[in-house]
Amino acid sequence: MSRIIGGHGKGRRLSAPGGQATRPTGARVRQTLFDILAPRVPGCRFLDALAGSGAVGLEALSRGAARVVLVDQSGAAVAAMRENLALLKGAPGQAQVLRQEALVALAALGDSGVRFDVIYLDPPYASELYEPLLEAVGRFGLLAPGGLVVAEHFHKRALPETMGRLHRSREVRVGDHRLSFYRAAEAGA
């Protein structure tokens, strides 16, 4: 069972959809991620684009994110996210849950003009979604100036150093997992 590990909701147990379709991000990976993101999270706009139970996005909300958008196409995942969100009543930020396929959601969010300070991508490890998602983030201009995209993937799966307008700035290995951090290229650079 997964728990919120910091902030307003620390210690609250999170529900996860049943079956093997969702692989919740473990506490060790989330702790490493939020240790790195700590100065960025308070007041940020955070997108968890393949949210599953919503553990990563809800962790951001618990730690003071101003706005969190959770996206998943699974009805069971959306139900778990809504249940988990109820545990964070009173958290200072706002959360929105979208039941959509991630690429469709990225396009719609881009069309609406919303921008994010942190975008978290965690598709199924064996999927071919990593590159299309990274490319879509850049193409739809979803990153706010100075924003960061984080992709969680299996440590043996290499992600490109450059994908469209995004350039990898850091990689961190946590057990069998790897977190790849991307920034948008500066205009004229």
Side-chain angles (χ1 to χ4, degrees), residues 32-118:
T32 300
L33 173 68
F34 283 96
D35 284 350
I36 293 167
L37 295 178
R40 293 177 169 273
V41 173
C44 83
R45 295 159 296 174
F46 193 103
L47 171 62
D48 189 349
L50 295 110
S53 68
V56 172
L58 294 173
E59 188 73 42
L61 185 65
S62 178
R63 292 173 183 246
R67 180 173 185 213
V68 174
V69 177
L70 305 164
V71 177
D72 205 288
Q73 66 182 356
S74 161
V78 167
M81 282 187 263
R82 291 187 196 283
E83 183 179 332
N84 293 334
L85 189 54
L87 299 173
L88 291 176
K89 268 192 175 159
Q94 299 176 335
Q96 179 180 10
V97 176
L98 301 176
R99 183 176 180 186
Q100 274 185 316
E101 192 273 327
L103 289 168
V104 171
L106 292 178
L109 289 165
D111 286 347
S112 75
V114 68
R115 300 296 172 255
F116 296 93
D117 303 298
V118 179

